[in-house]
Amino acid sequence: MIEQAIEKEREVMFKAFEAKMNDVVEKRDRILTQQLNRSLEERRLEIAAAQE
């Protein structure tokens, strides 16, 4: 019975850890995408200014 309780607690902790990691990865990806878009937009503006 104790082993079942320990296994259940381990499973709950693993699921919580997995959810937290998913949140961290999603946030990281969102920030990276925003930075890439900002860099691309700056580059487009530089190119446009150079062509004028």
Side-chain angles (χ1 to χ4, degrees):
M1 190 162 174
I2 293 173
E3 288 179 13
Q4 289 176 336
I6 291 171
E7 184 61 32
K8 179 74 171 171
E9 182 64 23
R10 186 187 310 158
E11 188 177 320
V12 168
M13 288 177 62
F14 179 76
K15 285 184 180 181
F17 175 74
E18 188 175 32
K20 176 70 174 169
M21 286 303 295
N22 285 340
D23 289 345
V24 169
V25 169
E26 190 174 310
K27 182 178 179 181
R28 182 207 63 199
D29 289 352
R30 189 168 38 251
I31 290 169
L32 178 59
T33 301
Q34 289 171 349
Q35 290 173 336
L36 285 170
N37 285 335
R38 197 173 305 124
S39 294
L40 284 171
E41 185 59 28
E42 288 173 4
R43 186 71 178 128
R44 283 188 199 110
L45 291 173
E46 289 172 3
I47 291 170
Q51 290 176 346
E52 289 181 358

